[in-house]
Amino acid sequence: TVPLAGGRIEAAVDIVSWPVEATDPNIAVEVNGSARLAVDLGRHEGTGTGTFSAEVRLHGSKLGVGRFVAVTDGESLEIDTFRVETFGGHAEGKAHLPFKDWCKSRIEVRWEDLDLSMASTWWPFLEDLQGVSNGTVHIVPADEPRAFEPLRLTAEATIRDGRFRGGAIGDGSLLAYAGPNRVVLSRGDWNALGGHIRLRGSRTRRTEATSNHLLTNVTGVQLNQLVHSIHPQANPVPGTLDARVALIGTENLSTLTGNAVVQLSEAELIGNTVISALYAVLDTETPATSPSGVGHAELHLAGTQLSIDSFYYRSRGTEVRGVGRIENLALGPASPVSGYAFGVGRPLNLPKLFGLQELDRLMAVVQKNAATAEIEGTLGEPRVHIVPFAQVGGQVRRFLASQL
């Protein structure tokens, strides 16, 4: 009913089993609720209250149920309480949402006992995710004198018994700021894969495109966990990994560029196809002690092409150096790969300063003592061929010159 008197409209609306169309045909949403509205036509003002619930089904199975109570005075929407039951747990909170200036919004969310193994119902690629999460999110106007943007977001999450395939997943937190055209990740911390990952970055909306910038520092990640989170059936790969990564680009993957520096310690890479082939030629002995290999690599990303500009690994008295390229990361295991590597049974002891004479001396040492290999095939099935030094001598010389 809509009584009209003195320029005032009042209305009551009941919603029963109202289907909401979703972009995904596998998702069904049904809304129930009631609302009371009052509009003053003379003052151009309105108020209202409402109680609503929604049920979401995916492939016919219930994914979650949400309920909230809202009040509006025409200037803002006040959600006094909302509750979502999903993933075997629940999330609840409240919100203040101004209509004219969203940067003054206030939102509080707390979730408990979310079963992460149920996330694959929504995102199939998370099929092997396990764990139970609790956490909070707070979004408030930033009150710092030099805040990056006017709205501040803080979040903390704990994960109990968290794993993704062969890698452990632990607690995380973040501090971010948001404005009309930019989101800044001031700090993101995540305990994962036996180590710690720290993230910083930004996302800026421009007229021509949206630009993204991400800096990542990785410390103490266990190489074995990293490898088995990607390939669960891989052989054990002992080692500790530290890395620094910088990425920049737009939504178009072809514009993505970045660099990474990776350090390895306490490593044993005998299970690697290239390392094992070179070790077999050099007759490198299997150590009886704990893994003690060290190494480093420099990588460059240009679009979907990843170049390994430099790779170095030393273990059991043998050094392995090389370069390589993954042609198209978007193809995954089917991407073509290429490169070469050489191993020597004695340290090269590269000098910091040298001339052509020193380079010639190093080339003579490599030619006399090295095993050389050429790499081809695909990322999923690389092929390594032991080849004569003369076949890759030019590449080895250019590589050594670039390292000095």
Side-chain angles (χ1 to χ4, degrees):
T1 61
V2 185
L4 179 60
R8 182 179 177 85
I9 298 176
E10 295 181 355
V13 179
D14 290 320
I15 300 173
V16 180
S17 301
W18 181 27
V20 178
E21 184 176 349
T23 55
D24 188 335
N26 298 310
I27 299 175
V29 182
E30 185 178 276
V31 177
N32 291 274
S34 61
R36 303 291 183 270
L37 304 173
V39 179
D40 189 322
L41 298 178
R43 296 182 178 182
H44 302 285
E45 296 176 349
T47 60
T49 62
T51 302
F52 302 92
S53 66
E55 181 179 278
V56 181
R57 290 181 174 272
L58 181 64
H59 299 293
S61 300
K62 184 186 294 186
L63 184 64
V65 176
R67 302 177 182 85
F68 69 92
V69 177
V71 178
T72 180
D73 59 1
E75 297 291 330
S76 65
L77 180 67
E78 304 289 337
I79 300 178
D80 293 330
T81 178
F82 68 85
R83 181 181 175 92
V84 178
E85 297 173 359
T86 185
F87 292 174
H90 70 273
E92 57 186 19
K94 59 183 180 179
H96 165 74
L97 306 172
F99 294 140
K100 295 181 180 179
D101 188 359
W102 64 268
C103 290
K104 294 181 179 179
S105 300
R106 294 178 178 272
I107 303 173
E108 296 180 12
V109 181
R110 182 180 71 255
W111 67 89
E112 295 181 358
D113 300 328
L114 297 187
D115 184 351
L116 300 182
S117 67
M118 299 178 68
S120 60
T121 306
W122 193 272
W123 301 287
F125 66 91
L126 295 178
E127 180 181 2
D128 298 308
L129 182 63
Q130 301 176 19
V132 177
S133 177
N134 297 273
T136 60
V137 171
H138 295 277
I139 300 175
V140 297
D143 55 6
E144 302 95 321
R146 297 182 180 180
F148 290 109
E149 294 293 340
L151 201 62
R152 183 178 71 232
L153 182 151
T154 57
E156 295 184 355
T158 62
I159 300 179
R160 185 172 69 251
D161 301 325
R163 297 196 69 81
F164 181 70
R165 297 175 182 166
I169 297 175
D171 302 344
S173 65
L174 66 83
L175 170 64
Y177 296 86
N181 297 307
R182 187 174 70 152
V183 177
V184 177
L185 176 59
S186 178
R187 186 190 69 251
D189 290 288
W190 186 28
N191 296 321
L193 306 175
H196 183 79
I197 301 172
R198 169 158 289 189
L199 305 167
R200 291 184 293 130
S202 65
R203 177 183 174 88
T204 305
R205 185 176 62 189
R206 307 181 188 278
T207 303
E208 61 280 6
T210 298
S211 63
N212 303 288
H213 183 208
L214 180 66
L215 299 174
T216 305
N217 284 335
V218 178
T219 56
V221 162
Q222 297 305 297
L223 189 58
N224 191 58
Q225 291 194 35
L226 175 62
V227 170
H228 284 83
S229 67
I230 302 171
H231 299 293
Q233 307 306 319
N235 293 324
V237 188
T240 300
L241 181 145
D242 299 328
R244 299 190 310 275
V245 182
L247 296 172
I248 188 169
T250 67
E251 303 300 301
N252 188 340
L253 286 179
S254 65
T255 68
L256 190 63
T257 61
N259 295 287
V261 177
V262 179
Q263 302 283 344
L264 293 177
S265 60
E266 300 177 340
E268 179 52 74
L269 303 185
I270 188 60
N272 177 270
T273 306
V274 178
I275 301 294
S276 61
L278 292 173
Y279 276 19
V281 175
L282 296 169
D283 197 22
T284 303
E285 296 181 357
T286 302
T289 58
S290 300
S292 58
V294 297
H296 61 79
E298 296 179 6
L299 301 89
H300 176 71
L301 180 68
T304 59
Q305 185 184 86
L306 179 65
S307 299
I308 304 171
D309 295 334
S310 172
F311 173 80
Y312 168 81
Y313 175 68
R314 185 182 76 244
S315 179
R316 315 182 194 179
T318 298
E319 289 187 356
V320 175
R321 300 173 186 264
V323 298
R325 178 178 295 170
I326 302 173
E327 296 294 341
N328 190 346
L329 290 172
L331 297 178
S335 173
V337 297
S338 61
Y340 69 89
F342 66 92
V344 292
R346 51 177 289 191
L348 288 180
N349 296 323
L350 303 183
K352 293 183 179 180
L353 297 174
F354 76 106
L356 291 178
Q357 206 171 29
E358 183 65 24
L359 180 58
D360 289 339
R361 183 193 68 79
L362 287 171
M363 284 293 295
V365 172
V366 173
Q367 186 171 7
K368 181 179 180 181
N369 300 282
T372 52
E374 189 173 34
I375 305 160
E376 57 181 10
T378 65
L379 185 60
E381 296 183 1
R383 298 190 300 272
V384 180
H385 308 287
I386 301 299
V387 297
F389 178 82
Q391 189 168 326
V392 294
Q395 294 97 313
V396 172
R397 184 181 181 89
R398 287 192 293 273
F399 173 77
L400 289 174
S402 70
Q403 301 300 295
L404 300 169

